[in-house]
């Protein structure tokens, strides 16, 4: 299998795992969201530590410790991903899987908004149109829910900010994920110890299957992240961007078809507007990428241009 095909396979498997992740989270009941989050952090550290040990790849740790600014950036990323995980678990276990899917649908548009406000990037008219339509969609869904879709907005904002920080840090995926999880491990262990002291821990007290599922939280979290990193190194960014919608599409289908969450007409209108915004944004992005590639080929010497085709 070629590296390109491997990249597409890795991306597909990663997004499929994320798409069906609500089923796994539901199976962790009756654990409360914060307890699930704490186990997710602790077992992620253990799992990635095992992976790094097998790969004999621990040298990076000493390099990171000697760079306080880099460690500070990793700490910020850790807080953002903890917020994202916590809101996601809360959303799933409060029977709002469809709203969590909405958060990941609008995530790319929030990322564009961050690019404009923080990085001072300029947007093309199509991107502005997509942002405008998405704002109308949020207004429609606010009317439908009777409140702001705060779970969706929190998920989109936290993951977009996390992605921005990660882009600036530019660290290898597994190593960075280990340090992020390790940053959160001490408070997570403290919280789990507090639950044990109060006799409120569910770990080992519900069933053998439930205990095993909690222990597998680290592998379930880290595996799609590492597959995603492998895909990002093998396939074009535009292809990766289009494939990212596999996750929220499957989450949406899971919420509606498996968990039978309601989809009244106004909510359907809101989601339709979101999807319209994403179509405009994606088509514009693909067109721009093709134009840029054509320009690069036109400015290449003829042998290199032929190879690029």
């Amino acid at each position: 299998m070629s590296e390109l095909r491997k990249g597409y396979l890795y991306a597909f498997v990663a997004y499929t795992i994320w798409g069906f992740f609500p089923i796994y989270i539901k199976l962790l009941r009756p654990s409360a969201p914060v307890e699930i989050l704490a186990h997710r952090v602790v077992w992620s550290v253990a799992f990635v530590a095992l992976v790094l040990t097998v790969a004999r790849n621990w040298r990076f740790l000493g390099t990171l410790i000697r760079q306080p600014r880099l460690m500070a950036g990793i700490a910020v990323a850790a807080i953002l991903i903890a917020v994202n995980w916590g809101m996601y678990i809360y959303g799933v276990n409060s029977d709002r899987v469809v709203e969590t899917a909405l958060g990941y649908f609008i995530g790319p548009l929030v990322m564009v908004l961050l690019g404009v406000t923080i990085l001072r990037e300029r947007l093309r008219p199509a991107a502005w149109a997509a942002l405008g339509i998405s704002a109308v969609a949020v207004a429609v869904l606010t009317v439908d829910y009777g409140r702001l879709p705060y779970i969706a907005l929190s998920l989109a904002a936290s993951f977009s900010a996390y992605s921005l920080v990660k882009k600036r840090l530019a660290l290898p995926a597994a190593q960075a994920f280990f340090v992020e999880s390790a940053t959160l491990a001490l408070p997570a262990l403290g919280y789990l110890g507090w639950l044990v002291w109060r006799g409120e821990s569910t770990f080992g007290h519900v069933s053998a299957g439930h205990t095993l599922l909690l222990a597998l939280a680290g592998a379930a979290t880290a595996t799609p992240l590492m597959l995603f990193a492998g895909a990002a190194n093998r396939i074009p960014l535009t292809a990766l961007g289009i494939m990212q919608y596999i996750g929220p599409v499957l989450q949406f289908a899971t919420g509606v078809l498996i968990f039978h969450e309601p989809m009244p007409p106004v909510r359907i209108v809101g989601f339709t507007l979101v999807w319209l915004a994403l179509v405009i944004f994606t088509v514009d992005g693909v067109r721009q990428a093709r134009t840029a590639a054509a320009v690069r080929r036109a400015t290449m010497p003829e042998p290199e241009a032929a190879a690029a085709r």
Side-chain angles (χ1 to χ4, degrees):
M1 183 182 293
S2 68
E3 289 301 306
L4 185 64
R5 288 186 177 181
K6 282 183 182 178
Y8 282 110
L9 178 62
Y10 291 166
F12 179 78
V13 174
Y15 286 127
T16 301
I17 292 172
W18 281 327
F20 289 115
F21 214 71
I23 298 174
Y24 175 75
I25 297 296
K26 292 270 192 182
L27 292 173
L28 298 180
R29 289 175 170 176
S31 299
V34 180
E35 184 181 5
I36 295 172
L37 174 61
H39 276 288
R40 194 172 181 180
V41 168
V42 170
W43 292 108
S44 291
V45 174
F47 178 78
V48 181
L50 177 62
V51 171
L52 293 174
T53 300
V54 171
R56 298 181 180 179
N57 198 355
W58 285 100
R59 294 180 181 178
F60 73 95
L61 199 55
T63 304
L64 287 180
I65 291 173
R66 292 192 294 270
Q67 300 182 62
R69 286 190 177 181
L70 204 55
M71 290 298 293
I74 291 173
V76 171
I79 293 170
L80 289 170
I81 199 62
V83 170
N84 183 267
W85 288 353
M87 288 302 297
Y88 180 77
I89 295 166
Y90 170 74
V92 170
N93 277 348
S94 58
D95 299 321
R96 300 176 190 174
V97 174
V98 169
E99 190 175 343
T100 66
L102 174 64
Y104 291 107
F105 275 126
I106 65 177
L109 300 172
V110 173
M111 179 65 80
V112 170
L113 190 60
L114 286 178
V116 173
T117 56
I118 297 177
L119 303 180
R120 304 298 180 186
E121 295 177 351
R122 292 186 177 182
L123 294 187
R124 296 178 299 279
W128 279 115
L131 285 175
I133 293 171
S134 65
V136 173
V138 170
V140 170
L141 290 167
T142 298
V143 172
D144 173 61
Y145 285 117
R147 56 170 174 78
L148 272 174
Y150 65 89
I151 292 175
L153 294 175
S154 299
L155 288 172
S158 59
F159 193 74
S160 297
Y162 172 75
S163 300
L164 181 62
V165 172
K166 294 278 284 184
K167 182 178 178 62
R168 290 191 167 185
L169 291 175
L171 293 171
Q175 292 89 328
F177 180 66
F178 172 79
V179 179
E180 288 165 20
S181 299
T183 302
L184 302 168
L186 191 59
L189 281 170
Y191 179 75
L192 292 176
W194 182 74
L195 287 180
V196 171
W197 179 71
R198 288 177 57 90
E200 297 176 0
S201 173
T202 60
F203 187 76
H205 297 285
V206 176
S207 67
H210 178 267
T211 300
L212 179 62
L213 286 172
L214 280 177
L216 288 174
T221 299
T223 299
L225 282 171
M226 290 189 289
L227 286 169
F228 174 80
N233 292 331
R234 289 174 172 84
I235 66 177
L237 188 61
T238 50
L240 196 64
I242 293 171
M243 291 184 74
Q244 73 179 319
Y245 299 124
I246 293 173
V249 165
L250 291 176
Q251 285 183 36
F252 179 85
T254 299
V256 174
L257 301 178
I258 297 179
F259 298 128
H260 305 293
E261 293 186 11
M263 282 295 292
V266 176
R267 193 169 304 173
I268 293 174
V269 170
F271 270 86
T272 302
L273 288 171
V274 169
W275 295 329
L276 174 61
L278 289 174
V279 168
I280 294 171
F281 176 71
T282 303
V283 169
D284 180 62
V286 171
R287 185 183 295 119
Q288 184 69 14
R290 287 178 176 175
T291 302
V295 170
R296 284 196 301 271
R297 286 196 299 270
T299 56
M300 285 180 183
E302 185 57 33
E304 292 183 22
R309 296 188 193 104

